[in-house]
PDB file of all heavy atoms in Angstrom:
ATOM      1  N   PHE A  92     108.748  86.199  89.210  1.00 98.00           N
ATOM      2  CA  PHE A  92     108.892  86.858  90.505  1.00 98.00           C
ATOM      3  C   PHE A  92     107.584  86.740  91.280  1.00 98.00           C
ATOM      4  O   PHE A  92     106.494  86.742  90.694  1.00 98.00           O
ATOM      5  CB  PHE A  92     109.209  88.336  90.326  1.00 98.00           C
ATOM      6  CG  PHE A  92     110.578  88.659  89.766  1.00 98.00           C
ATOM      7  CD1 PHE A  92     111.404  87.657  89.233  1.00 98.00           C
ATOM      8  CD2 PHE A  92     111.041  89.952  89.769  1.00 98.00           C
ATOM      9  CE1 PHE A  92     112.649  87.943  88.724  1.00 98.00           C
ATOM     10  CE2 PHE A  92     112.289  90.267  89.263  1.00 98.00           C
ATOM     11  CZ  PHE A  92     113.099  89.257  88.747  1.00 98.00           C
ATOM     12  N   THR A  93     107.714  86.682  92.599  1.00 98.00           N
ATOM     13  CA  THR A  93     106.549  86.626  93.472  1.00 98.00           C
ATOM     14  C   THR A  93     106.740  87.593  94.633  1.00 98.00           C
ATOM     15  O   THR A  93     107.736  87.508  95.361  1.00 98.00           O
ATOM     16  CB  THR A  93     106.309  85.214  94.020  1.00 98.00           C
ATOM     17  OG1 THR A  93     106.164  84.297  92.926  1.00 98.00           O
ATOM     18  CG2 THR A  93     105.052  85.182  94.880  1.00 98.00           C
ATOM     19  N   ILE A  94     105.776  88.496  94.792  1.00 98.00           N
ATOM     20  CA  ILE A  94     105.812  89.426  95.909  1.00 98.00           C
ATOM     21  C   ILE A  94     104.907  88.902  97.013  1.00 98.00           C
ATOM     22  O   ILE A  94     103.850  88.307  96.745  1.00 98.00           O
ATOM     23  CB  ILE A  94     105.383  90.850  95.478  1.00 98.00           C
ATOM     24  CG1 ILE A  94     105.599  91.833  96.627  1.00 98.00           C
ATOM     25  CG2 ILE A  94     103.946  90.861  94.980  1.00 98.00           C
ATOM     26  CD1 ILE A  94     105.375  93.290  96.216  1.00 98.00           C
ATOM     27  N   SER A  95     105.341  89.078  98.247  1.00 96.00           N
ATOM     28  CA  SER A  95     104.527  88.684  99.395  1.00 96.00           C
ATOM     29  C   SER A  95     104.832  89.640 100.540  1.00 96.00           C
ATOM     30  O   SER A  95     105.815  90.380 100.506  1.00 96.00           O
ATOM     31  CB  SER A  95     104.801  87.237  99.792  1.00 96.00           C
ATOM     32  OG  SER A  95     106.162  87.071 100.173  1.00 96.00           O
ATOM     33  N   ARG A  96     103.977  89.621 101.548  1.00 95.00           N
ATOM     34  CA  ARG A  96     104.183  90.516 102.683  1.00 95.00           C
ATOM     35  C   ARG A  96     103.715  89.844 103.955  1.00 95.00           C
ATOM     36  O   ARG A  96     102.788  89.034 103.946  1.00 95.00           O
ATOM     37  CB  ARG A  96     103.474  91.856 102.472  1.00 95.00           C
ATOM     38  CG  ARG A  96     101.981  91.751 102.256  1.00 95.00           C
ATOM     39  CD  ARG A  96     101.389  93.085 101.790  1.00 95.00           C
ATOM     40  NE  ARG A  96     101.238  94.038 102.886  1.00 95.00           N
ATOM     41  CZ  ARG A  96     100.816  95.285 102.732  1.00 95.00           C
ATOM     42  NH1 ARG A  96     100.526  95.736 101.521  1.00 95.00           N
ATOM     43  NH2 ARG A  96     100.683  96.082 103.784  1.00 95.00           N
ATOM     44  N   ASP A  97     104.363  90.214 105.048  1.00 93.00           N
ATOM     45  CA  ASP A  97     103.981  89.770 106.377  1.00 93.00           C
ATOM     46  C   ASP A  97     103.651  91.032 107.168  1.00 93.00           C
ATOM     47  O   ASP A  97     104.552  91.752 107.613  1.00 93.00           O
ATOM     48  CB  ASP A  97     105.121  88.987 107.032  1.00 93.00           C
ATOM     49  CG  ASP A  97     104.747  88.399 108.371  1.00 93.00           C
ATOM     50  OD1 ASP A  97     103.840  88.933 109.051  1.00 93.00           O
ATOM     51  OD2 ASP A  97     105.357  87.383 108.757  1.00 93.00           O
ATOM     52  N   ASN A  98     102.374  91.312 107.307  1.00 91.00           N
ATOM     53  CA  ASN A  98     101.966  92.552 107.957  1.00 91.00           C
ATOM     54  C   ASN A  98     102.360  92.597 109.433  1.00 91.00           C
ATOM     55  O   ASN A  98     102.642  93.673 109.959  1.00 91.00           O
ATOM     56  CB  ASN A  98     100.451  92.750 107.813  1.00 91.00           C
ATOM     57  CG  ASN A  98     100.057  93.000 106.370  1.00 91.00           C
ATOM     58  OD1 ASN A  98     100.791  93.621 105.604  1.00 91.00           O
ATOM     59  ND2 ASN A  98      98.885  92.512 105.995  1.00 91.00           N
ATOM     60  N   SER A  99     102.393  91.452 110.077  1.00 92.00           N
ATOM     61  CA  SER A  99     102.768  91.434 111.495  1.00 92.00           C
ATOM     62  C   SER A  99     104.223  91.836 111.690  1.00 92.00           C
ATOM     63  O   SER A  99     104.603  92.366 112.736  1.00 92.00           O
ATOM     64  CB  SER A  99     102.530  90.032 112.081  1.00 92.00           C
ATOM     65  OG  SER A  99     103.395  89.084 111.492  1.00 92.00           O
ATOM     66  N   LYS A 100     105.032  91.592 110.661  1.00 93.00           N
ATOM     67  CA  LYS A 100     106.456  91.963 110.727  1.00 93.00           C
ATOM     68  C   LYS A 100     106.738  93.229 109.925  1.00 93.00           C
ATOM     69  O   LYS A 100     107.883  93.681 109.873  1.00 93.00           O
ATOM     70  CB  LYS A 100     107.317  90.819 110.177  1.00 93.00           C
ATOM     71  CG  LYS A 100     107.255  89.538 110.984  1.00 93.00           C
ATOM     72  CD  LYS A 100     108.161  88.472 110.371  1.00 93.00           C
ATOM     73  CE  LYS A 100     108.109  87.204 111.202  1.00 93.00           C
ATOM     74  NZ  LYS A 100     108.963  86.134 110.613  1.00 93.00           N
ATOM     75  N   ARG A 101     105.729  93.774 109.280  1.00 93.00           N
ATOM     76  CA  ARG A 101     105.874  94.938 108.424  1.00 93.00           C
ATOM     77  C   ARG A 101     107.029  94.721 107.440  1.00 93.00           C
ATOM     78  O   ARG A 101     107.935  95.552 107.280  1.00 93.00           O
ATOM     79  CB  ARG A 101     106.098  96.213 109.254  1.00 93.00           C
ATOM     80  CG  ARG A 101     104.918  96.561 110.164  1.00 93.00           C
ATOM     81  CD  ARG A 101     104.977  97.960 110.674  1.00 93.00           C
ATOM     82  NE  ARG A 101     106.126  98.158 111.549  1.00 93.00           N
ATOM     83  CZ  ARG A 101     106.503  99.346 112.029  1.00 93.00           C
ATOM     84  NH1 ARG A 101     105.823 100.441 111.681  1.00 93.00           N
ATOM     85  NH2 ARG A 101     107.542  99.437 112.825  1.00 93.00           N
ATOM     86  N   THR A 102     106.974  93.583 106.803  1.00 95.00           N
ATOM     87  CA  THR A 102     108.027  93.174 105.896  1.00 95.00           C
ATOM     88  C   THR A 102     107.424  92.739 104.556  1.00 95.00           C
ATOM     89  O   THR A 102     106.378  92.078 104.531  1.00 95.00           O
ATOM     90  CB  THR A 102     108.841  92.019 106.490  1.00 95.00           C
ATOM     91  OG1 THR A 102     109.446  92.467 107.718  1.00 95.00           O
ATOM     92  CG2 THR A 102     109.938  91.583 105.528  1.00 95.00           C
ATOM     93  N   VAL A 103     108.093  93.137 103.478  1.00 97.00           N
ATOM     94  CA  VAL A 103     107.700  92.713 102.147  1.00 97.00           C
ATOM     95  C   VAL A 103     108.864  91.938 101.529  1.00 97.00           C
ATOM     96  O   VAL A 103     110.026  92.254 101.782  1.00 97.00           O
ATOM     97  CB  VAL A 103     107.294  93.921 101.276  1.00 97.00           C
ATOM     98  CG1 VAL A 103     108.438  94.907 101.096  1.00 97.00           C
ATOM     99  CG2 VAL A 103     106.731  93.458  99.937  1.00 97.00           C
ATOM    100  N   TYR A 104     108.508  90.927 100.746  1.00 98.00           N
ATOM    101  CA  TYR A 104     109.508  90.046 100.140  1.00 98.00           C
ATOM    102  C   TYR A 104     109.345  90.039  98.621  1.00 98.00           C
ATOM    103  O   TYR A 104     108.270  90.314  98.104  1.00 98.00           O
ATOM    104  CB  TYR A 104     109.348  88.615 100.659  1.00 98.00           C
ATOM    105  CG  TYR A 104     109.351  88.492 102.154  1.00 98.00           C
ATOM    106  CD1 TYR A 104     108.150  88.468 102.859  1.00 98.00           C
ATOM    107  CD2 TYR A 104     110.541  88.402 102.856  1.00 98.00           C
ATOM    108  CE1 TYR A 104     108.142  88.353 104.256  1.00 98.00           C
ATOM    109  CE2 TYR A 104     110.548  88.292 104.249  1.00 98.00           C
ATOM    110  CZ  TYR A 104     109.346  88.268 104.928  1.00 98.00           C
ATOM    111  OH  TYR A 104     109.347  88.164 106.299  1.00 98.00           O
ATOM    112  N   LEU A 105     110.428  89.707  97.951  1.00 98.00           N
ATOM    113  CA  LEU A 105     110.375  89.495  96.513  1.00 98.00           C
ATOM    114  C   LEU A 105     111.190  88.253  96.187  1.00 98.00           C
ATOM    115  O   LEU A 105     112.416  88.265  96.304  1.00 98.00           O
ATOM    116  CB  LEU A 105     110.920  90.697  95.753  1.00 98.00           C
ATOM    117  CG  LEU A 105     110.776  90.614  94.235  1.00 98.00           C
ATOM    118  CD1 LEU A 105     109.304  90.693  93.827  1.00 98.00           C
ATOM    119  CD2 LEU A 105     111.566  91.722  93.528  1.00 98.00           C
ATOM    120  N   GLN A 106     110.485  87.193  95.844  1.00 98.00           N
ATOM    121  CA  GLN A 106     111.145  85.960  95.419  1.00 98.00           C
ATOM    122  C   GLN A 106     111.375  86.045  93.916  1.00 98.00           C
ATOM    123  O   GLN A 106     110.428  86.187  93.153  1.00 98.00           O
ATOM    124  CB  GLN A 106     110.289  84.747  95.757  1.00 98.00           C
ATOM    125  CG  GLN A 106     110.870  83.420  95.291  1.00 98.00           C
ATOM    126  CD  GLN A 106     112.148  83.069  96.019  1.00 98.00           C
ATOM    127  OE1 GLN A 106     112.253  83.213  97.235  1.00 98.00           O
ATOM    128  NE2 GLN A 106     113.139  82.595  95.275  1.00 98.00           N
ATOM    129  N   MET A 107     112.630  85.955  93.521  1.00 98.00           N
ATOM    130  CA  MET A 107     112.991  86.095  92.115  1.00 98.00           C
ATOM    131  C   MET A 107     113.580  84.782  91.607  1.00 98.00           C
ATOM    132  O   MET A 107     114.621  84.340  92.102  1.00 98.00           O
ATOM    133  CB  MET A 107     114.003  87.235  91.941  1.00 98.00           C
ATOM    134  CG  MET A 107     113.533  88.563  92.497  1.00 98.00           C
ATOM    135  SD  MET A 107     114.662  89.928  92.157  1.00 98.00           S
ATOM    136  CE  MET A 107     116.046  89.443  93.165  1.00 98.00           C
ATOM    137  N   ASN A 108     112.901  84.163  90.680  1.00 98.00           N
ATOM    138  CA  ASN A 108     113.341  82.895  90.085  1.00 98.00           C
ATOM    139  C   ASN A 108     113.652  83.102  88.605  1.00 98.00           C
ATOM    140  O   ASN A 108     113.249  84.085  88.004  1.00 98.00           O
ATOM    141  CB  ASN A 108     112.262  81.831  90.246  1.00 98.00           C
ATOM    142  CG  ASN A 108     111.955  81.524  91.698  1.00 98.00           C
ATOM    143  OD1 ASN A 108     112.817  81.605  92.575  1.00 98.00           O
ATOM    144  ND2 ASN A 108     110.699  81.168  91.967  1.00 98.00           N
ATOM    145  N   SER A 109     114.364  82.148  88.056  1.00 98.00           N
ATOM    146  CA  SER A 109     114.711  82.179  86.626  1.00 98.00           C
ATOM    147  C   SER A 109     115.282  83.532  86.228  1.00 98.00           C
ATOM    148  O   SER A 109     114.869  84.133  85.222  1.00 98.00           O
ATOM    149  CB  SER A 109     113.471  81.858  85.776  1.00 98.00           C
ATOM    150  OG  SER A 109     112.930  80.595  86.128  1.00 98.00           O
ATOM    151  N   LEU A 110     116.212  84.006  87.010  1.00 98.00           N
ATOM    152  CA  LEU A 110     116.763  85.345  86.779  1.00 98.00           C
ATOM    153  C   LEU A 110     117.493  85.427  85.439  1.00 98.00           C
ATOM    154  O   LEU A 110     118.139  84.459  84.999  1.00 98.00           O
ATOM    155  CB  LEU A 110     117.693  85.721  87.921  1.00 98.00           C
ATOM    156  CG  LEU A 110     116.964  86.173  89.190  1.00 98.00           C
ATOM    157  CD1 LEU A 110     117.862  86.089  90.417  1.00 98.00           C
ATOM    158  CD2 LEU A 110     116.451  87.594  89.024  1.00 98.00           C
ATOM    159  N   LYS A 111     117.352  86.573  84.818  1.00 98.00           N
ATOM    160  CA  LYS A 111     117.949  86.817  83.512  1.00 98.00           C
ATOM    161  C   LYS A 111     118.975  87.967  83.631  1.00 98.00           C
ATOM    162  O   LYS A 111     118.935  88.752  84.587  1.00 98.00           O
ATOM    163  CB  LYS A 111     116.863  87.227  82.513  1.00 98.00           C
ATOM    164  CG  LYS A 111     115.746  86.216  82.336  1.00 98.00           C
ATOM    165  CD  LYS A 111     114.697  86.734  81.380  1.00 98.00           C
ATOM    166  CE  LYS A 111     113.560  85.731  81.198  1.00 98.00           C
ATOM    167  NZ  LYS A 111     112.519  86.246  80.266  1.00 98.00           N
ATOM    168  N   LEU A 112     119.832  88.040  82.627  1.00 97.00           N
ATOM    169  CA  LEU A 112     120.836  89.110  82.625  1.00 97.00           C
ATOM    170  C   LEU A 112     120.180  90.481  82.749  1.00 97.00           C
ATOM    171  O   LEU A 112     120.700  91.362  83.449  1.00 97.00           O
ATOM    172  CB  LEU A 112     121.654  89.051  81.334  1.00 97.00           C
ATOM    173  CG  LEU A 112     122.504  87.800  81.125  1.00 97.00           C
ATOM    174  CD1 LEU A 112     123.158  87.847  79.745  1.00 97.00           C
ATOM    175  CD2 LEU A 112     123.559  87.652  82.201  1.00 97.00           C
ATOM    176  N   GLU A 113     119.025  90.653  82.113  1.00 97.00           N
ATOM    177  CA  GLU A 113     118.357  91.951  82.109  1.00 97.00           C
ATOM    178  C   GLU A 113     117.668  92.281  83.425  1.00 97.00           C
ATOM    179  O   GLU A 113     117.110  93.369  83.568  1.00 97.00           O
ATOM    180  CB  GLU A 113     117.338  92.026  80.953  1.00 97.00           C
ATOM    181  CG  GLU A 113     116.356  90.882  80.909  1.00 97.00           C
ATOM    182  CD  GLU A 113     116.794  89.783  79.941  1.00 97.00           C
ATOM    183  OE1 GLU A 113     118.002  89.453  79.899  1.00 97.00           O
ATOM    184  OE2 GLU A 113     115.910  89.230  79.261  1.00 97.00           O
ATOM    185  N   ASP A 114     117.696  91.380  84.372  1.00 98.00           N
ATOM    186  CA  ASP A 114     117.169  91.676  85.710  1.00 98.00           C
ATOM    187  C   ASP A 114     118.207  92.405  86.575  1.00 98.00           C
ATOM    188  O   ASP A 114     117.886  92.836  87.682  1.00 98.00           O
ATOM    189  CB  ASP A 114     116.756  90.390  86.425  1.00 98.00           C
ATOM    190  CG  ASP A 114     115.562  89.716  85.761  1.00 98.00           C
ATOM    191  OD1 ASP A 114     114.629  90.431  85.348  1.00 98.00           O
ATOM    192  OD2 ASP A 114     115.564  88.469  85.667  1.00 98.00           O
ATOM    193  N   THR A 115     119.411  92.524  86.065  1.00 98.00           N
ATOM    194  CA  THR A 115     120.454  93.242  86.806  1.00 98.00           C
ATOM    195  C   THR A 115     120.057  94.697  87.028  1.00 98.00           C
ATOM    196  O   THR A 115     119.731  95.412  86.074  1.00 98.00           O
ATOM    197  CB  THR A 115     121.786  93.191  86.031  1.00 98.00           C
ATOM    198  OG1 THR A 115     122.235  91.840  85.970  1.00 98.00           O
ATOM    199  CG2 THR A 115     122.849  94.045  86.717  1.00 98.00           C
ATOM    200  N   ALA A 116     120.059  95.107  88.285  1.00 98.00           N
ATOM    201  CA  ALA A 116     119.617  96.466  88.638  1.00 98.00           C
ATOM    202  C   ALA A 116     119.772  96.655  90.143  1.00 98.00           C
ATOM    203  O   ALA A 116     120.028  95.696  90.888  1.00 98.00           O
ATOM    204  CB  ALA A 116     118.162  96.688  88.254  1.00 98.00           C
ATOM    205  N   VAL A 117     119.592  97.892  90.568  1.00 98.00           N
ATOM    206  CA  VAL A 117     119.414  98.176  91.983  1.00 98.00           C
ATOM    207  C   VAL A 117     117.929  98.086  92.274  1.00 98.00           C
ATOM    208  O   VAL A 117     117.114  98.731  91.590  1.00 98.00           O
ATOM    209  CB  VAL A 117     119.954  99.557  92.372  1.00 98.00           C
ATOM    210  CG1 VAL A 117     119.700  99.830  93.854  1.00 98.00           C
ATOM    211  CG2 VAL A 117     121.449  99.657  92.058  1.00 98.00           C
TER     212      VAL A 117
END
C-alpha cells in the first residue's frame, strides 16, 4: 500500500496493490 496526499486539494489517497483476502474491511 502507498499513502499520498494533495494538500492543494485537501485529499488523501491510498493505493492498494497485491490485495489479499485479509485486506477485506471497511
Side-chain angles (χ1 to χ4, degrees):
F92 291 11
T93 302
I94 187 172
S95 61
R96 58 191 283 176
D97 184 335
N98 292 326
S99 66
K100 296 181 179 179
R101 297 195 295 173
T102 299
V103 61
Y104 306 96
L105 185 68
Q106 177 66 44
M107 304 185 292
N108 298 329
S109 302
L110 282 160
K111 303 177 180 180
L112 297 175
E113 53 264 40
D114 293 319
T115 295
V117 178

